[in-house]
Amino acid sequence: MSQPRDFRLTDGTVIDHLPVGTAARALELLGLPREGPITVGINIPSPSQGRKDIVRVEGLFLEKPELDRLALLGKHLTVTIVHEGTISEKTVLDVPERLIGILTCRNPTCVTNAEEVQTVFFKQEGYPYRFKCEYCERITEPGEAL
Ligand SMILES: [Zn+2]
C-alpha cells in the first residue's frame, strides 16, 4: 500500500489566516460538513500572524453573503479557490462597510426584531469590528456579532 499523500484540493476552497480558535466557528457558519472531504488545521505556525487556523473544503464555493459572514471572524482572512488542482483565485476578505441581512440586532425593541425587516449594520472605525444598527443605532460589540 502506498503512503497517504497530503490532502490537497482538486476543486474547492481554502480559508486561510483564520485567528486561532475560529476554525470550528467557520465550519459552523458555513453549515459544514456538507459533501466532500474537509481538512482543518488548528494552531498552525504562520510567519505573518504567529499561529493560525486553516480550513480546506473540497467541492465548496462560497457566495458573497457567506464570504461577508466569514470575514467577521478576523482580519485579512484569505480565501483561495482551487480548480483542477491549481489556484484560480485568491482573495483577502474585508468586512464591507454595510452588512445587510447578516447580523441580528441585540436590542429587543428594535424594529428588526418585531417585523420582517432586513437588518442593516454599519461598520464602525477600528478593530475588533463594531457595528451600528441602522434602525435603532445600537452598537454590536466585538464578540456579539457572530
Ligand atoms: Zn437595532
PDB file of all heavy atoms in Angstrom, residues 14-54:
ATOM      1  N   VAL A  14      -9.986  27.069   0.081  1.00  0.00           N
ATOM      2  CA  VAL A  14      -9.135  27.118   1.267  1.00  0.00           C
ATOM      3  C   VAL A  14      -9.419  28.424   2.005  1.00  0.00           C
ATOM      4  O   VAL A  14      -9.369  29.495   1.396  1.00  0.00           O
ATOM      5  CB  VAL A  14      -7.633  27.088   0.890  1.00  0.00           C
ATOM      6  CG1 VAL A  14      -6.760  27.104   2.150  1.00  0.00           C
ATOM      7  CG2 VAL A  14      -7.314  25.891   0.016  1.00  0.00           C
ATOM      8  N   ILE A  15      -9.740  28.315   3.279  1.00  0.00           N
ATOM      9  CA  ILE A  15      -9.936  29.511   4.101  1.00  0.00           C
ATOM     10  C   ILE A  15      -8.738  29.592   5.032  1.00  0.00           C
ATOM     11  O   ILE A  15      -8.568  28.747   5.910  1.00  0.00           O
ATOM     12  CB  ILE A  15     -11.253  29.425   4.895  1.00  0.00           C
ATOM     13  CG1 ILE A  15     -12.422  29.239   3.930  1.00  0.00           C
ATOM     14  CG2 ILE A  15     -11.451  30.684   5.744  1.00  0.00           C
ATOM     15  CD1 ILE A  15     -13.623  28.578   4.570  1.00  0.00           C
ATOM     16  N   ASP A  16      -7.902  30.593   4.796  1.00  0.00           N
ATOM     17  CA  ASP A  16      -6.617  30.659   5.484  1.00  0.00           C
ATOM     18  C   ASP A  16      -6.538  31.923   6.344  1.00  0.00           C
ATOM     19  O   ASP A  16      -7.313  32.851   6.166  1.00  0.00           O
ATOM     20  CB  ASP A  16      -5.495  30.646   4.439  1.00  0.00           C
ATOM     21  CG  ASP A  16      -4.161  30.216   5.032  1.00  0.00           C
ATOM     22  OD1 ASP A  16      -4.076  30.011   6.258  1.00  0.00           O
ATOM     23  OD2 ASP A  16      -3.202  30.087   4.260  1.00  0.00           O
ATOM     24  N   HIS A  17      -5.568  31.921   7.251  1.00  0.00           N
ATOM     25  CA  HIS A  17      -5.338  33.039   8.168  1.00  0.00           C
ATOM     26  C   HIS A  17      -6.511  33.297   9.096  1.00  0.00           C
ATOM     27  O   HIS A  17      -6.780  34.435   9.472  1.00  0.00           O
ATOM     28  CB  HIS A  17      -4.941  34.314   7.394  1.00  0.00           C
ATOM     29  CG  HIS A  17      -3.694  34.120   6.583  1.00  0.00           C
ATOM     30  ND1 HIS A  17      -3.707  34.080   5.203  1.00  0.00           N
ATOM     31  CD2 HIS A  17      -2.423  33.889   6.955  1.00  0.00           C
ATOM     32  CE1 HIS A  17      -2.478  33.860   4.766  1.00  0.00           C
ATOM     33  NE2 HIS A  17      -1.682  33.735   5.812  1.00  0.00           N
ATOM     34  N   LEU A  18      -7.198  32.225   9.449  1.00  0.00           N
ATOM     35  CA  LEU A  18      -8.220  32.350  10.491  1.00  0.00           C
ATOM     36  C   LEU A  18      -7.512  32.550  11.828  1.00  0.00           C
ATOM     37  O   LEU A  18      -6.517  31.863  12.098  1.00  0.00           O
ATOM     38  CB  LEU A  18      -9.047  31.061  10.566  1.00  0.00           C
ATOM     39  CG  LEU A  18     -10.065  30.816   9.458  1.00  0.00           C
ATOM     40  CD1 LEU A  18     -10.413  29.331   9.384  1.00  0.00           C
ATOM     41  CD2 LEU A  18     -11.322  31.646   9.693  1.00  0.00           C
ATOM     42  N   PRO A  19      -8.004  33.447  12.673  1.00  0.00           N
ATOM     43  CA  PRO A  19      -7.402  33.542  14.015  1.00  0.00           C
ATOM     44  C   PRO A  19      -7.522  32.198  14.738  1.00  0.00           C
ATOM     45  O   PRO A  19      -8.512  31.479  14.542  1.00  0.00           O
ATOM     46  CB  PRO A  19      -8.267  34.593  14.712  1.00  0.00           C
ATOM     47  CG  PRO A  19      -8.901  35.385  13.622  1.00  0.00           C
ATOM     48  CD  PRO A  19      -9.082  34.427  12.481  1.00  0.00           C
ATOM     49  N   VAL A  20      -6.523  31.874  15.536  1.00  0.00           N
ATOM     50  CA  VAL A  20      -6.532  30.602  16.258  1.00  0.00           C
ATOM     51  C   VAL A  20      -7.812  30.487  17.080  1.00  0.00           C
ATOM     52  O   VAL A  20      -8.224  31.437  17.736  1.00  0.00           O
ATOM     53  CB  VAL A  20      -5.287  30.487  17.172  1.00  0.00           C
ATOM     54  CG1 VAL A  20      -5.424  29.330  18.149  1.00  0.00           C
ATOM     55  CG2 VAL A  20      -4.043  30.324  16.316  1.00  0.00           C
ATOM     56  N   GLY A  21      -8.444  29.331  16.973  1.00  0.00           N
ATOM     57  CA  GLY A  21      -9.663  29.088  17.733  1.00  0.00           C
ATOM     58  C   GLY A  21     -10.940  29.375  16.958  1.00  0.00           C
ATOM     59  O   GLY A  21     -12.033  29.199  17.491  1.00  0.00           O
ATOM     60  N   THR A  22     -10.819  29.822  15.705  1.00  0.00           N
ATOM     61  CA  THR A  22     -12.038  30.162  14.956  1.00  0.00           C
ATOM     62  C   THR A  22     -12.383  29.148  13.859  1.00  0.00           C
ATOM     63  O   THR A  22     -13.397  29.306  13.184  1.00  0.00           O
ATOM     64  CB  THR A  22     -11.945  31.566  14.311  1.00  0.00           C
ATOM     65  OG1 THR A  22     -10.856  31.589  13.397  1.00  0.00           O
ATOM     66  CG2 THR A  22     -11.782  32.652  15.354  1.00  0.00           C
ATOM     67  N   ALA A  23     -11.567  28.115  13.686  1.00  0.00           N
ATOM     68  CA  ALA A  23     -11.842  27.145  12.615  1.00  0.00           C
ATOM     69  C   ALA A  23     -13.205  26.475  12.803  1.00  0.00           C
ATOM     70  O   ALA A  23     -13.978  26.338  11.845  1.00  0.00           O
ATOM     71  CB  ALA A  23     -10.735  26.092  12.558  1.00  0.00           C
ATOM     72  N   ALA A  24     -13.507  26.099  14.034  1.00  0.00           N
ATOM     73  CA  ALA A  24     -14.779  25.410  14.285  1.00  0.00           C
ATOM     74  C   ALA A  24     -15.962  26.350  14.013  1.00  0.00           C
ATOM     75  O   ALA A  24     -16.974  25.943  13.446  1.00  0.00           O
ATOM     76  CB  ALA A  24     -14.834  24.907  15.728  1.00  0.00           C
ATOM     77  N   ARG A  25     -15.787  27.608  14.392  1.00  0.00           N
ATOM     78  CA  ARG A  25     -16.831  28.609  14.145  1.00  0.00           C
ATOM     79  C   ARG A  25     -17.028  28.812  12.638  1.00  0.00           C
ATOM     80  O   ARG A  25     -18.153  28.980  12.165  1.00  0.00           O
ATOM     81  CB  ARG A  25     -16.422  29.923  14.809  1.00  0.00           C
ATOM     82  CG  ARG A  25     -17.525  30.922  14.938  1.00  0.00           C
ATOM     83  CD  ARG A  25     -18.473  30.599  16.095  1.00  0.00           C
ATOM     84  NE  ARG A  25     -19.630  31.482  16.075  1.00  0.00           N
ATOM     85  CZ  ARG A  25     -20.807  31.172  15.522  1.00  0.00           C
ATOM     86  NH1 ARG A  25     -20.971  30.002  14.959  1.00  0.00           N
ATOM     87  NH2 ARG A  25     -21.807  32.016  15.535  1.00  0.00           N
ATOM     88  N   ALA A  26     -15.929  28.800  11.900  1.00  0.00           N
ATOM     89  CA  ALA A  26     -16.008  28.956  10.440  1.00  0.00           C
ATOM     90  C   ALA A  26     -16.825  27.816   9.835  1.00  0.00           C
ATOM     91  O   ALA A  26     -17.701  28.048   8.995  1.00  0.00           O
ATOM     92  CB  ALA A  26     -14.607  29.001   9.828  1.00  0.00           C
ATOM     93  N   LEU A  27     -16.570  26.595  10.288  1.00  0.00           N
ATOM     94  CA  LEU A  27     -17.320  25.440   9.780  1.00  0.00           C
ATOM     95  C   LEU A  27     -18.804  25.586  10.104  1.00  0.00           C
ATOM     96  O   LEU A  27     -19.669  25.319   9.269  1.00  0.00           O
ATOM     97  CB  LEU A  27     -16.793  24.141  10.384  1.00  0.00           C
ATOM     98  CG  LEU A  27     -15.373  23.746   9.989  1.00  0.00           C
ATOM     99  CD1 LEU A  27     -14.958  22.482  10.716  1.00  0.00           C
ATOM    100  CD2 LEU A  27     -15.259  23.541   8.483  1.00  0.00           C
ATOM    101  N   GLU A  28     -19.073  26.051  11.304  1.00  0.00           N
ATOM    102  CA  GLU A  28     -20.454  26.226  11.751  1.00  0.00           C
ATOM    103  C   GLU A  28     -21.166  27.286  10.899  1.00  0.00           C
ATOM    104  O   GLU A  28     -22.291  27.081  10.449  1.00  0.00           O
ATOM    105  CB  GLU A  28     -20.408  26.646  13.213  1.00  0.00           C
ATOM    106  CG  GLU A  28     -21.683  26.429  13.982  1.00  0.00           C
ATOM    107  CD  GLU A  28     -21.519  26.890  15.433  1.00  0.00           C
ATOM    108  OE1 GLU A  28     -20.442  26.645  16.032  1.00  0.00           O
ATOM    109  OE2 GLU A  28     -22.459  27.509  15.947  1.00  0.00           O
ATOM    110  N   LEU A  29     -20.477  28.401  10.670  1.00  0.00           N
ATOM    111  CA  LEU A  29     -21.054  29.485   9.868  1.00  0.00           C
ATOM    112  C   LEU A  29     -21.390  29.029   8.456  1.00  0.00           C
ATOM    113  O   LEU A  29     -22.347  29.491   7.852  1.00  0.00           O
ATOM    114  CB  LEU A  29     -20.074  30.656   9.754  1.00  0.00           C
ATOM    115  CG  LEU A  29     -19.931  31.562  10.948  1.00  0.00           C
ATOM    116  CD1 LEU A  29     -18.877  32.625  10.660  1.00  0.00           C
ATOM    117  CD2 LEU A  29     -21.264  32.224  11.269  1.00  0.00           C
ATOM    118  N   LEU A  30     -20.571  28.138   7.935  1.00  0.00           N
ATOM    119  CA  LEU A  30     -20.760  27.683   6.559  1.00  0.00           C
ATOM    120  C   LEU A  30     -21.655  26.455   6.478  1.00  0.00           C
ATOM    121  O   LEU A  30     -21.880  25.908   5.396  1.00  0.00           O
ATOM    122  CB  LEU A  30     -19.403  27.381   5.921  1.00  0.00           C
ATOM    123  CG  LEU A  30     -18.474  28.589   5.819  1.00  0.00           C
ATOM    124  CD1 LEU A  30     -17.106  28.164   5.338  1.00  0.00           C
ATOM    125  CD2 LEU A  30     -19.066  29.640   4.899  1.00  0.00           C
ATOM    126  N   GLY A  31     -22.150  26.009   7.637  1.00  0.00           N
ATOM    127  CA  GLY A  31     -23.033  24.843   7.634  1.00  0.00           C
ATOM    128  C   GLY A  31     -22.319  23.575   7.218  1.00  0.00           C
ATOM    129  O   GLY A  31     -22.890  22.705   6.576  1.00  0.00           O
ATOM    130  N   LEU A  32     -21.044  23.475   7.598  1.00  0.00           N
ATOM    131  CA  LEU A  32     -20.252  22.303   7.237  1.00  0.00           C
ATOM    132  C   LEU A  32     -20.215  21.312   8.402  1.00  0.00           C
ATOM    133  O   LEU A  32     -20.367  21.715   9.535  1.00  0.00           O
ATOM    134  CB  LEU A  32     -18.826  22.738   6.878  1.00  0.00           C
ATOM    135  CG  LEU A  32     -18.745  23.674   5.676  1.00  0.00           C
ATOM    136  CD1 LEU A  32     -17.352  24.237   5.545  1.00  0.00           C
ATOM    137  CD2 LEU A  32     -19.148  22.961   4.395  1.00  0.00           C
ATOM    138  N   PRO A  33     -19.963  20.027   8.153  1.00  0.00           N
ATOM    139  CA  PRO A  33     -19.690  19.460   6.842  1.00  0.00           C
ATOM    140  C   PRO A  33     -20.939  19.259   5.987  1.00  0.00           C
ATOM    141  O   PRO A  33     -22.007  19.008   6.504  1.00  0.00           O
ATOM    142  CB  PRO A  33     -19.064  18.094   7.184  1.00  0.00           C
ATOM    143  CG  PRO A  33     -19.553  17.764   8.539  1.00  0.00           C
ATOM    144  CD  PRO A  33     -19.805  19.066   9.236  1.00  0.00           C
ATOM    145  N   ARG A  34     -20.734  19.438   4.680  1.00  0.00           N
ATOM    146  CA  ARG A  34     -21.727  19.013   3.685  1.00  0.00           C
ATOM    147  C   ARG A  34     -21.082  17.830   2.956  1.00  0.00           C
ATOM    148  O   ARG A  34     -20.513  16.957   3.569  1.00  0.00           O
ATOM    149  CB  ARG A  34     -22.011  20.140   2.688  1.00  0.00           C
ATOM    150  CG  ARG A  34     -22.538  21.412   3.325  1.00  0.00           C
ATOM    151  CD  ARG A  34     -22.724  22.479   2.244  1.00  0.00           C
ATOM    152  NE  ARG A  34     -22.642  23.814   2.806  1.00  0.00           N
ATOM    153  CZ  ARG A  34     -22.360  24.904   2.108  1.00  0.00           C
ATOM    154  NH1 ARG A  34     -22.144  24.807   0.807  1.00  0.00           N
ATOM    155  NH2 ARG A  34     -22.302  26.087   2.682  1.00  0.00           N
ATOM    156  N   GLU A  35     -21.145  17.866   1.633  1.00  0.00           N
ATOM    157  CA  GLU A  35     -20.467  16.833   0.855  1.00  0.00           C
ATOM    158  C   GLU A  35     -18.963  17.109   0.846  1.00  0.00           C
ATOM    159  O   GLU A  35     -18.533  18.232   1.039  1.00  0.00           O
ATOM    160  CB  GLU A  35     -20.965  16.856  -0.595  1.00  0.00           C
ATOM    161  CG  GLU A  35     -22.434  16.577  -0.751  1.00  0.00           C
ATOM    162  CD  GLU A  35     -22.776  15.121  -0.473  1.00  0.00           C
ATOM    163  OE1 GLU A  35     -22.111  14.255  -1.063  1.00  0.00           O
ATOM    164  OE2 GLU A  35     -23.670  14.878   0.339  1.00  0.00           O
ATOM    165  N   GLY A  36     -18.191  16.083   0.559  1.00  0.00           N
ATOM    166  CA  GLY A  36     -16.781  16.299   0.278  1.00  0.00           C
ATOM    167  C   GLY A  36     -15.914  16.358   1.509  1.00  0.00           C
ATOM    168  O   GLY A  36     -16.372  16.707   2.588  1.00  0.00           O
ATOM    169  N   PRO A  37     -14.625  15.985   1.320  1.00  0.00           N
ATOM    170  CA  PRO A  37     -13.697  15.976   2.447  1.00  0.00           C
ATOM    171  C   PRO A  37     -13.338  17.387   2.920  1.00  0.00           C
ATOM    172  O   PRO A  37     -13.309  18.327   2.145  1.00  0.00           O
ATOM    173  CB  PRO A  37     -12.466  15.260   1.914  1.00  0.00           C
ATOM    174  CG  PRO A  37     -12.663  15.086   0.464  1.00  0.00           C
ATOM    175  CD  PRO A  37     -14.032  15.530   0.084  1.00  0.00           C
ATOM    176  N   ILE A  38     -13.041  17.486   4.219  1.00  0.00           N
ATOM    177  CA  ILE A  38     -12.632  18.747   4.831  1.00  0.00           C
ATOM    178  C   ILE A  38     -11.382  18.471   5.647  1.00  0.00           C
ATOM    179  O   ILE A  38     -11.330  17.479   6.373  1.00  0.00           O
ATOM    180  CB  ILE A  38     -13.736  19.270   5.779  1.00  0.00           C
ATOM    181  CG1 ILE A  38     -15.031  19.521   5.016  1.00  0.00           C
ATOM    182  CG2 ILE A  38     -13.276  20.530   6.505  1.00  0.00           C
ATOM    183  CD1 ILE A  38     -16.209  19.848   5.918  1.00  0.00           C
ATOM    184  N   THR A  39     -10.397  19.343   5.536  1.00  0.00           N
ATOM    185  CA  THR A  39      -9.291  19.265   6.495  1.00  0.00           C
ATOM    186  C   THR A  39      -9.248  20.566   7.274  1.00  0.00           C
ATOM    187  O   THR A  39      -9.460  21.641   6.731  1.00  0.00           O
ATOM    188  CB  THR A  39      -7.914  19.031   5.844  1.00  0.00           C
ATOM    189  OG1 THR A  39      -7.720  19.997   4.823  1.00  0.00           O
ATOM    190  CG2 THR A  39      -7.790  17.648   5.264  1.00  0.00           C
ATOM    191  N   VAL A  40      -8.985  20.420   8.564  1.00  0.00           N
ATOM    192  CA  VAL A  40      -8.932  21.573   9.448  1.00  0.00           C
ATOM    193  C   VAL A  40      -7.571  21.576  10.125  1.00  0.00           C
ATOM    194  O   VAL A  40      -7.154  20.561  10.675  1.00  0.00           O
ATOM    195  CB  VAL A  40     -10.051  21.493  10.512  1.00  0.00           C
ATOM    196  CG1 VAL A  40      -9.944  22.647  11.496  1.00  0.00           C
ATOM    197  CG2 VAL A  40     -11.427  21.477   9.849  1.00  0.00           C
ATOM    198  N   GLY A  41      -6.886  22.691  10.042  1.00  0.00           N
ATOM    199  CA  GLY A  41      -5.619  22.850  10.752  1.00  0.00           C
ATOM    200  C   GLY A  41      -5.811  23.860  11.860  1.00  0.00           C
ATOM    201  O   GLY A  41      -6.363  24.933  11.632  1.00  0.00           O
ATOM    202  N   ILE A  42      -5.391  23.493  13.059  1.00  0.00           N
ATOM    203  CA  ILE A  42      -5.553  24.387  14.208  1.00  0.00           C
ATOM    204  C   ILE A  42      -4.191  24.680  14.811  1.00  0.00           C
ATOM    205  O   ILE A  42      -3.368  23.765  14.959  1.00  0.00           O
ATOM    206  CB  ILE A  42      -6.523  23.749  15.239  1.00  0.00           C
ATOM    207  CG1 ILE A  42      -7.936  23.704  14.636  1.00  0.00           C
ATOM    208  CG2 ILE A  42      -6.513  24.515  16.557  1.00  0.00           C
ATOM    209  CD1 ILE A  42      -8.950  22.958  15.468  1.00  0.00           C
ATOM    210  N   ASN A  43      -3.959  25.967  15.101  1.00  0.00           N
ATOM    211  CA  ASN A  43      -2.700  26.360  15.736  1.00  0.00           C
ATOM    212  C   ASN A  43      -1.495  26.102  14.840  1.00  0.00           C
ATOM    213  O   ASN A  43      -0.458  25.622  15.292  1.00  0.00           O
ATOM    214  CB  ASN A  43      -2.561  25.592  17.052  1.00  0.00           C
ATOM    215  CG  ASN A  43      -2.127  26.494  18.177  1.00  0.00           C
ATOM    216  OD1 ASN A  43      -2.113  27.717  18.045  1.00  0.00           O
ATOM    217  ND2 ASN A  43      -1.770  25.902  19.296  1.00  0.00           N
ATOM    218  N   ILE A  44      -1.653  26.417  13.567  1.00  0.00           N
ATOM    219  CA  ILE A  44      -0.602  26.192  12.580  1.00  0.00           C
ATOM    220  C   ILE A  44       0.374  27.373  12.619  1.00  0.00           C
ATOM    221  O   ILE A  44      -0.068  28.513  12.619  1.00  0.00           O
ATOM    222  CB  ILE A  44      -1.219  26.113  11.154  1.00  0.00           C
ATOM    223  CG1 ILE A  44      -2.340  25.070  11.081  1.00  0.00           C
ATOM    224  CG2 ILE A  44      -0.147  25.869  10.102  1.00  0.00           C
ATOM    225  CD1 ILE A  44      -1.915  23.650  11.309  1.00  0.00           C
ATOM    226  N   PRO A  45       1.696  27.110  12.654  1.00  0.00           N
ATOM    227  CA  PRO A  45       2.638  28.232  12.631  1.00  0.00           C
ATOM    228  C   PRO A  45       2.470  29.071  11.365  1.00  0.00           C
ATOM    229  O   PRO A  45       2.273  28.527  10.278  1.00  0.00           O
ATOM    230  CB  PRO A  45       4.011  27.547  12.638  1.00  0.00           C
ATOM    231  CG  PRO A  45       3.759  26.177  13.161  1.00  0.00           C
ATOM    232  CD  PRO A  45       2.355  25.818  12.745  1.00  0.00           C
ATOM    233  N   SER A  46       2.502  30.381  11.531  1.00  0.00           N
ATOM    234  CA  SER A  46       2.334  31.295  10.408  1.00  0.00           C
ATOM    235  C   SER A  46       3.344  32.424  10.519  1.00  0.00           C
ATOM    236  O   SER A  46       3.442  33.065  11.557  1.00  0.00           O
ATOM    237  CB  SER A  46       0.921  31.872  10.435  1.00  0.00           C
ATOM    238  OG  SER A  46       0.866  33.116   9.764  1.00  0.00           O
ATOM    239  N   PRO A  47       4.115  32.663   9.453  1.00  0.00           N
ATOM    240  CA  PRO A  47       5.104  33.739   9.508  1.00  0.00           C
ATOM    241  C   PRO A  47       4.455  35.102   9.779  1.00  0.00           C
ATOM    242  O   PRO A  47       5.012  35.940  10.473  1.00  0.00           O
ATOM    243  CB  PRO A  47       5.744  33.729   8.115  1.00  0.00           C
ATOM    244  CG  PRO A  47       5.332  32.446   7.491  1.00  0.00           C
ATOM    245  CD  PRO A  47       4.079  31.986   8.164  1.00  0.00           C
ATOM    246  N   SER A  48       3.234  35.312   9.264  1.00  0.00           N
ATOM    247  CA  SER A  48       2.638  36.649   9.378  1.00  0.00           C
ATOM    248  C   SER A  48       1.853  36.860  10.670  1.00  0.00           C
ATOM    249  O   SER A  48       1.729  37.981  11.135  1.00  0.00           O
ATOM    250  CB  SER A  48       1.734  36.926   8.178  1.00  0.00           C
ATOM    251  OG  SER A  48       0.659  36.015   8.156  1.00  0.00           O
ATOM    252  N   GLN A  49       1.304  35.799  11.248  1.00  0.00           N
ATOM    253  CA  GLN A  49       0.481  36.037  12.429  1.00  0.00           C
ATOM    254  C   GLN A  49       0.803  35.134  13.607  1.00  0.00           C
ATOM    255  O   GLN A  49      -0.005  35.015  14.532  1.00  0.00           O
ATOM    256  CB  GLN A  49      -1.013  35.975  12.061  1.00  0.00           C
ATOM    257  CG  GLN A  49      -1.509  34.623  11.596  1.00  0.00           C
ATOM    258  CD  GLN A  49      -2.920  34.656  11.011  1.00  0.00           C
ATOM    259  OE1 GLN A  49      -3.100  34.570   9.811  1.00  0.00           O
ATOM    260  NE2 GLN A  49      -3.938  34.761  11.864  1.00  0.00           N
ATOM    261  N   GLY A  50       1.974  34.493  13.590  1.00  0.00           N
ATOM    262  CA  GLY A  50       2.356  33.631  14.704  1.00  0.00           C
ATOM    263  C   GLY A  50       1.725  32.255  14.597  1.00  0.00           C
ATOM    264  O   GLY A  50       2.378  31.296  14.249  1.00  0.00           O
ATOM    265  N   ARG A  51       0.424  32.200  14.878  1.00  0.00           N
ATOM    266  CA  ARG A  51      -0.340  30.960  14.741  1.00  0.00           C
ATOM    267  C   ARG A  51      -1.646  31.280  14.039  1.00  0.00           C
ATOM    268  O   ARG A  51      -2.155  32.385  14.151  1.00  0.00           O
ATOM    269  CB  ARG A  51      -0.659  30.357  16.110  1.00  0.00           C
ATOM    270  CG  ARG A  51       0.541  30.020  16.939  1.00  0.00           C
ATOM    271  CD  ARG A  51       0.951  28.596  16.719  1.00  0.00           C
ATOM    272  NE  ARG A  51       2.303  28.360  17.240  1.00  0.00           N
ATOM    273  CZ  ARG A  51       2.901  27.187  17.175  1.00  0.00           C
ATOM    274  NH1 ARG A  51       2.283  26.154  16.631  1.00  0.00           N
ATOM    275  NH2 ARG A  51       4.109  27.026  17.642  1.00  0.00           N
ATOM    276  N   LYS A  52      -2.175  30.262  13.355  1.00  0.00           N
ATOM    277  CA  LYS A  52      -3.435  30.483  12.640  1.00  0.00           C
ATOM    278  C   LYS A  52      -4.189  29.171  12.546  1.00  0.00           C
ATOM    279  O   LYS A  52      -3.642  28.097  12.793  1.00  0.00           O
ATOM    280  CB  LYS A  52      -3.143  31.012  11.232  1.00  0.00           C
ATOM    281  CG  LYS A  52      -2.420  29.968  10.368  1.00  0.00           C
ATOM    282  CD  LYS A  52      -2.152  30.442   8.967  1.00  0.00           C
ATOM    283  CE  LYS A  52      -1.501  29.330   8.154  1.00  0.00           C
ATOM    284  NZ  LYS A  52      -1.189  29.738   6.768  1.00  0.00           N
ATOM    285  N   ASP A  53      -5.444  29.289  12.157  1.00  0.00           N
ATOM    286  CA  ASP A  53      -6.234  28.119  11.790  1.00  0.00           C
ATOM    287  C   ASP A  53      -6.437  28.156  10.282  1.00  0.00           C
ATOM    288  O   ASP A  53      -6.359  29.218   9.655  1.00  0.00           O
ATOM    289  CB  ASP A  53      -7.610  28.130  12.485  1.00  0.00           C
ATOM    290  CG  ASP A  53      -7.519  27.792  13.980  1.00  0.00           C
ATOM    291  OD1 ASP A  53      -6.400  27.528  14.463  1.00  0.00           O
ATOM    292  OD2 ASP A  53      -8.562  27.795  14.638  1.00  0.00           O
ATOM    293  N   ILE A  54      -6.697  26.996   9.711  1.00  0.00           N
ATOM    294  CA  ILE A  54      -6.906  26.903   8.267  1.00  0.00           C
ATOM    295  C   ILE A  54      -7.938  25.802   7.989  1.00  0.00           C
ATOM    296  O   ILE A  54      -7.960  24.785   8.686  1.00  0.00           O
ATOM    297  CB  ILE A  54      -5.562  26.656   7.528  1.00  0.00           C
ATOM    298  CG1 ILE A  54      -5.765  26.599   6.008  1.00  0.00           C
ATOM    299  CG2 ILE A  54      -4.882  25.394   8.019  1.00  0.00           C
ATOM    300  CD1 ILE A  54      -4.436  26.622   5.236  1.00  0.00           C
TER     301      ILE A  54
END
